[in-house]
Amino acid sequence: DAGVTQSPTHLIKTRGQQVTLRCSPKSGHDTVSWYQQALGQGPQFIFQYYEEEERQRGNFPDRFSGHQFPNYSSELNVNALLLGDSALYLCASSSDGFYEQYFGPGTRLTVT
Amino acid sequence: AQSVTQLGSHVSVSEGALVLLRCNYSSSVPPYLFWYVQYPNQGLQLLLKYTTGATLVKGINGFEAEFKKSETSFHLTKPSAHMSDAAEYFCAVSRNSGGYQKVTFGTGTKLQVIP
């Protein structure tokens, strides 16, 4: 079992650009959540996808959007990047109705 | 609403000494509680969880935590620290919100183990 995988590992972008991050959930999981972890902070919930729909969202602007595919993998898109978007982006998967989440290794995004 | 407070952003212990990382939560309904560990440049790994039942929960790597409802606490302990325990630890609370689990993390505690 490969667990939760994320790509890319690291990414450097310029202010104003757009970025797409990818996540494959653990085998058997159908729910994907995305978190932003700024340096020295705990993870902040961005949104959660289930059955290809966003069903929960944290306090993040519309610049943050996502998608879930029929195979349960997911993408996080961020438009009009700001310096403050620099962070570790974590993907977590779970089975619907269950509280235990499994985290991927994260994507380190640096905005210059 | 729910929140998590981790007392002490940095904790240092000697190798072999007791590890105690503090976590207090607030939640309007009975919560599920978690401790995660994060090693540098890695994702979060679940150490242990409390859902229902026994209030003393044992996890991986010799860690355990006790749910104390009266104190709204879920402190993490390990009798004897090992060098490999040096990492950042996050407490999290989860509750059912509109049929979904809503998870809130604390700000983390960095554990330093001194040889």
Side-chain angles (χ1 to χ4, degrees):
Chain A
D1 183 2
V4 181
T5 60
Q6 292 186 243
S7 63
T9 306
H10 294 86
L11 205 51
I12 300 175
K13 289 286 188 178
T14 303
R15 272 180 303 176
Q17 285 188 318
Q18 178 264 345
V19 68
T20 297
L21 311 181
R22 296 176 176 84
C23 171
S24 291
K26 182 178 168 64
S27 177
H29 286 181
D30 54 12
T31 302
V32 173
S33 302
W34 286 93
Y35 293 84
Q36 180 194 65
Q37 186 180 16
L39 206 59
Q41 300 294 319
Q44 298 289 317
F45 176 72
I46 302 175
F47 43 52
Q48 182 181 83
Y49 276 84
Y50 171 70
E51 291 191 341
E52 302 181 50
E53 289 194 1
E54 180 185 299
R55 69 173 183 181
Q56 284 194 80
R57 190 178 183 93
N59 293 327
F60 280 80
D62 292 345
R63 298 187 298 109
F64 290 76
S65 63
H67 190 76
Q68 186 179 34
F69 299 93
N71 67 352
Y72 308 121
S73 67
S74 176
E75 289 181 347
L76 164 65
N77 301 293
V78 187
N79 294 322
L81 284 167
L82 304 173
L83 294 179
D85 295 331
S86 295
L88 180 68
Y89 288 85
L90 296 165
C91 169
S93 73
S94 58
S95 294
D96 183 47
F98 289 86
Y99 42 80
E100 189 167 330
Q101 297 182 92
Y102 291 79
F103 283 81
T107 293
R108 173 73 63 188
L109 172 65
T110 302
V111 182
T112 61
Chain B
Q2 60 188 23
S3 64
V4 178
T5 301
Q6 291 185 240
L7 291 174
S9 57
H10 289 80
V11 170
S12 292
V13 300
S14 298
E15 190 175 15
L18 171 71
V19 175
L20 171 60
L21 304 182
R22 299 178 187 273
C23 173
N24 288 87
Y25 70 91
S26 69
S27 177
S28 56
V29 298
Y32 297 148
L33 295 160
F34 306 84
W35 276 100
Y36 287 87
V37 61
Q38 186 176 35
Y39 297 98
N41 300 313
Q42 293 188 26
L44 276 68
Q45 180 184 7
L46 181 66
L47 273 178
L48 49 80
K49 63 182 183 285
Y50 169 79
T51 53
T52 58
T55 57
L56 183 62
V57 180
K58 294 187 185 300
I60 62 172
N61 302 339
F63 284 94
E64 61 182 37
E66 186 171 9
F67 170 59
K68 291 187 176 181
K69 185 178 178 181
S70 61
E71 299 177 8
T72 60
S73 69
F74 191 57
H75 301 332
L76 182 70
T77 60
K78 182 174 180 177
S80 176
H82 192 272
M83 294 300 294
S84 61
D85 294 328
E88 189 155 22
Y89 293 79
F90 292 92
C91 181
V93 59
S94 172
R95 69 177 175 87
N96 195 299
S97 174
Y100 314 129
Q101 289 297 324
K102 180 177 171 61
V103 182
T104 301
F105 284 85
T107 53
T109 297
K110 272 192 182 163
L111 177 65
Q112 179 186 21
V113 182
I114 304 166

